[in-house]
Amino acid sequence: MFYREAGQFKTSYKADQAMFPIFQDKIFVAIWLFIGFVVVPMLANEYMFRAIFIPVIIMALAAIGLNLLVGYCGQVSLGSGAFMAVGAYAAYNFMIRVPELNPLICFLLGGLSATAVGVIFGIPSLRIKGFYLAVATLALQFFTDWTFSRIDWFTNYTPSGSIAVRPVEMLGVVFDSPMKKYFLCLVFLVIFTIIGTNIVRGRIGRAWMATRDMDVAAEIIGIRPVFAKLSAFAVSSFFIGVAGALWAFVHLGSWEPLAFDINLSFSILFMVIIGGLGSIVGGMLGAAFITLLPLFLNQLPVWLGINISTAMISHLEFMIFGALIIFFLAVEPLGLARIWQITKEKLRLWPFPH
Amino acid sequence: MNDTDRKLGPTILQVEGISLAFGGVKALTNISFEVKEHEILAIIGPNGAGKSSMLNVINGVYHPNAGSITYKGNVRQQMKPHEAASQGIARTFQNIALFKGMSVLDNIMTGRTLKMNAGFLAQCLYIGSARNEEIEHRKKVEEIIDFLQIQSIRKTPVGRLPYGLQKRVELGRALAAEPELLLLDEPMAGMNIEEKEDMSRFILDVNDEFGTTIVLIEHDMGVVMDLSDRIVVLDYGKKIGDGTPTEIRNNKEVIDAYLGVSD
């Protein structure tokens, strides 16, 4: 009833191939943009920006990046934390070694460095698939952990090995307050989401999906597996690398190599799986779910007025979190994006079921 | 249908002395035949005769141990899949090899990959050449969709389609590349009579309207005899017959090996 394409006739292929061909989708996206750019900044306080919105947005960017690789091209990777680390450390090094560079350019260069590493570590994907590839990408994770904690040049010889940065300045604005940081991250997310959506609906995206679904047939059509897989690694690493730079410079402010350890890789992969493989929206939903659920579980006893120790709360948090993930994957293995899709299909008929 | 009322062109594909072995198993032994432009050639033979292997050799999935492939005048020891694709060889598979997660439209669009060349940046931003290209190729794809009469399912994920329609979509994907040589591996396997009739009509129409040369593998003798201009018969990796349907029907060796030993 409220979400249906009936009556919306397309008279050109251009209209049919628009990003959101259905009118209701356009409105929906507009509402979300309005919430993101107007409502949230008006209502949120400093804590909410710092603990909720900024991490969710940056993680959404990383999850979209990983989804391009895992969900669209079918190459499992456990190296997202490593790509984020490369993005962050590369941006840092560009910034201190070439001070005249604008931080924006440094962030993008950080992303490009992650791309280079991604292409190199994507080469094994030409020969190995599935779980074996995941293990191969794990090697990258350990390699970067080691590199950034042992080779002091990358951390500019700081004695503790941790790095602290001043608020970044871009285009004449110093991003020092949480709200400014929030806007910066949001703009990055919007731009990268548009780019990601465009890539996956075009020739490159189809080449990725074809490789994912049936690699022999893809090759016979003329898609080179080398090109498809390595370009997926390249684009995905770029997204994740930029997310890493944002995570370090905007969210953390000061960090050490442990900030990008294997746990981060796992949680990004969970975001992609829970959000929905092969869906851009899924990356965002998954990031929100994985980041917010622990916060929510943590606060729940307080809201309910139950008096239990903080240690107990944090143990319970882990248990419930784990149980929810299992429950969730059993009920809807295709992720939050699939639930969203089902909702839309139901809404076509609701409230008249026939 | 017979070859006298249609004009056959010069030889487009010639395979000579092709042998292929997997370890000790000889899949193909010294196979030679040629395909003329605009022809419909059927390859028949009992199970395990090496028919699919032959197609795989032609478009480069398998590399033969001996022999040569001459396609449009270029002699090759072996093909590479993307090379074959870029020179106008397309194919369908015995077990449907569609991209299950993608819609019918996207599957057929994928078939046009080699004809698209918008730059990476343009694709990221969906501007200029990338957008025009998508629209222009969409038109071509819609022509194929019309041709195969699958308009109503163009946005359906192929995984949800019934078998017969999937076969049709796969033919569409192969056609999208505008091939000169189309290899069909059992296009009618598992179909009922009506579906077979539809598919036969599409194959004849493709051959007629687009002038596409077709090499097909099929087990249904009625279909083979009606559709093809010429038939190559394989048995245990060897060629035992090559000729028009009438000749094959009367070939003693073929009858013995394939259609049953005659008394």
Side-chain angles (χ1 to χ4, degrees), chain A:
Chain A
M1 177 73 183
F2 297 111
Y3 179 85
R4 66 193 311 176
E5 62 276 38
Q8 300 181 27
F9 301 109
K10 310 290 188 311
T11 48
S12 70
Y13 295 133
K14 187 177 165 188
D16 196 39
Q17 299 198 154
M19 195 180 282
F20 305 108
I22 298 174
F23 178 67
Q24 283 88 337
D25 275 341
K26 284 188 188 119
I27 294 193
F28 194 77
V29 170
I31 291 175
W32 270 108
L33 285 176
F34 181 73
I35 291 175
F37 279 99
V38 181
V39 177
V40 167
M42 282 195 329
L43 299 181
N45 59 31
E46 203 156 295
Y47 167 78
M48 286 164 83
F49 278 127
R50 219 171 264 173
I52 299 178
F53 293 113
I54 294 176
V56 166
I57 288 175
I58 299 177
M59 278 302 148
L61 177 56
I64 290 173
L66 185 65
N67 213 341
L68 295 180
L69 182 65
V70 182
Y72 284 95
C73 196
Q75 311 297 311
V76 186
S77 162
L78 276 175
S80 336
F83 292 129
M84 284 182 81
V86 171
Y89 280 95
Y92 172 71
N93 278 291
F94 278 115
M95 225 174 268
I96 55 166
R97 286 172 215 289
V98 196
E100 54 270 23
L101 274 183
N102 188 306
L104 178 64
I105 294 172
C106 290
F107 280 16
L108 297 181
L109 285 173
L112 284 177
S113 309
T115 302
V117 175
V119 170
I120 293 168
F121 277 83
I123 291 172
S125 73
L126 304 178
R127 297 306 290 265
I128 48 184
K129 293 179 187 173
F131 295 124
Y132 305 98
L133 178 63
V135 174
T137 56
L138 206 54
L140 171 66
Q141 182 68 50
F142 294 127
F143 179 71
T144 48
D145 281 358
W146 182 85
T147 308
F148 294 130
S149 56
R150 298 279 172 226
I151 302 178
D152 295 337
W153 185 83
F154 286 110
T155 51
N156 201 22
Y157 304 101
T158 47
S160 62
S162 70
I163 290 172
V165 289
R166 281 180 290 121
V168 289
E169 187 188 336
M170 284 181 195
L171 313 169
V173 184
V174 183
F175 291 92
D176 47 4
S177 78
M179 197 192 285
K180 285 183 190 161
K181 287 179 178 177
Y182 166 78
F183 273 115
L184 177 69
C185 296
L186 191 61
V187 169
F188 264 96
L189 179 65
V190 169
I191 293 172
F192 275 80
T193 305
I194 294 171
I195 292 176
T197 313
N198 281 336
I199 292 178
V200 297
R201 68 182 168 145
R203 169 171 59 95
I204 297 177
R206 283 193 297 267
W208 291 349
M209 289 186 274
T211 310
R212 170 195 69 190
D213 285 348
M214 190 67 75
D215 48 359
V216 178
E219 211 176 336
I220 276 166
I221 282 173
I223 295 165
R224 291 176 196 230
V226 184
F227 167 79
K229 288 177 180 172
L230 291 188
S231 66
F233 265 99
V235 175
S236 154
S237 313
F238 183 73
F239 276 51
I240 299 174
V242 171
L246 282 173
W247 186 254
F249 281 81
V250 179
H251 178 57
L252 297 175
S254 68
W255 74 94
E256 48 194 22
L258 272 182
F260 298 103
D261 65 355
I262 183 86
N263 288 328
L264 190 62
S265 295
F266 277 124
S267 47
I268 299 174
L269 189 63
F270 290 157
M271 287 170 196
V272 171
I273 292 172
I274 288 186
L277 288 165
S279 157
I280 297 279
V281 181
M284 298 187 197
L285 294 175
F289 186 85
I290 296 273
T291 318
L292 297 186
L293 192 61
L295 288 175
F296 173 74
L297 290 176
N298 199 301
Q299 294 297 316
L300 197 59
V302 181
W303 293 338
L304 295 177
I306 304 166
N307 208 353
I308 34 178
S309 69
T310 41
M312 186 70 170
I313 290 179
S314 63
H315 288 307
L316 278 177
E317 184 191 311
F318 275 118
M319 287 159 66
I320 298 174
F321 186 55
L324 273 177
I325 288 181
I326 294 172
F327 169 77
F328 190 78
L329 288 179
V331 173
E332 187 48 76
L334 296 176
L336 292 165
R338 176 72 191 143
I339 292 180
W340 169 231
Q341 204 185 344
I342 292 172
T343 315
K344 283 206 283 190
E345 279 172 22
K346 290 249 162 78
L347 272 179
R348 292 179 66 185
L349 298 177
W350 189 86
F352 310 111
H354 299 293

Side-chain angles (χ1 to χ4, degrees), chain B:
Chain B
M1 252 313 149
N2 58 60
D3 52 10
T4 49
D5 60 354
R6 289 219 325 278
K7 250 203 150 138
L8 297 184
T11 303
I12 182 169
L13 172 81
Q14 185 171 24
V15 293
E16 262 186 297
I18 293 285
S19 295
L20 175 73
F22 300 107
V25 184
K26 283 184 181 155
L28 297 169
T29 317
N30 198 20
I31 305 281
S32 306
F33 63 86
E34 55 174 43
V35 186
K36 293 198 182 333
E37 233 168 72
H38 205 229
E39 183 176 44
I40 299 183
L41 175 85
I43 302 180
I44 63 170
N47 289 326
K51 307 179 298 290
S52 293
S53 298
M54 193 61 234
L55 289 199
N56 282 332
V57 165
I58 294 175
N59 71 354
V61 179
Y62 293 160
H63 301 304
N65 306 103
S68 68
I69 305 162
T70 312
Y71 178 65
K72 291 203 280 187
N74 298 321
V75 187
R76 281 200 191 71
Q77 232 262 299
Q78 58 184 46
M79 282 285 204
K80 293 205 179 80
H82 65 87
E83 221 170 58
S86 63
Q87 300 205 5
I89 303 181
R91 78 170 282 186
T92 67
F93 291 82
Q94 185 174 0
N95 309 312
I96 298 168
L98 284 170
F99 308 127
K100 293 230 166 6
M102 298 160 72
S103 67
V104 169
L105 187 64
D106 277 343
N107 263 279
I108 303 179
M109 280 293 267
T110 311
R112 296 197 66 80
T113 299
L114 280 175
K115 309 224 175 266
M116 304 176 88
N117 47 19
F120 176 72
L121 219 56
Q123 285 189 62
C124 288
L125 305 173
Y126 199 65
I127 47 164
S129 57
R131 192 170 62 187
N132 298 338
E133 192 178 67
E134 285 283 315
I135 291 164
E136 177 195 323
H137 287 281
R138 173 77 188 269
K139 274 183 203 145
K140 275 280 176 200
V141 167
E142 288 292 340
E143 280 168 25
I144 290 166
I145 289 178
D146 282 349
F147 174 75
L148 294 173
Q149 297 161 357
I150 46 176
Q151 296 93 333
S152 59
I153 54 164
R154 62 162 77 82
K155 298 242 163 123
T156 316
V158 290
R160 285 194 209 166
L161 294 177
Y163 183 81
L165 281 179
Q166 291 198 11
K167 282 266 181 197
R168 213 186 277 188
V169 175
E170 205 187 4
L171 176 63
R173 189 181 65 188
L175 288 178
E178 297 175 36
E180 286 169 64
L181 176 63
L182 182 58
L183 311 173
L184 304 173
D185 196 345
E186 301 203 19
M188 285 162 241
M191 288 186 168
N192 62 28
I193 283 283
E194 286 84 4
E195 288 171 330
K196 279 185 185 176
E197 279 172 356
D198 277 345
M199 189 52 96
S200 305
R201 184 162 51 83
F202 290 132
I203 291 172
L204 288 174
D205 281 352
V206 168
N207 181 253
D208 240 27
E209 287 180 27
F210 309 137
T212 312
T213 313
I214 294 174
V215 175
L216 69 96
I217 295 175
E218 188 46 56
H219 279 296
D220 186 321
M221 274 311 122
V223 170
V224 169
M225 295 294 170
D226 285 349
L227 285 188
S228 43
D229 299 313
R230 218 150 47 75
I231 300 175
V232 168
V233 191
L234 300 183
D235 190 22
Y236 291 110
K238 295 194 180 75
K239 187 170 97 166
I240 57 169
D242 185 346
T244 62
T246 334
E247 284 166 15
I248 293 297
R249 208 176 269 135
N250 301 322
N251 183 324
K252 172 88 171 45
E253 207 179 344
V254 173
I255 296 169
D256 285 356
Y258 192 79
L259 304 171
V261 177
S262 54
D263 306 320

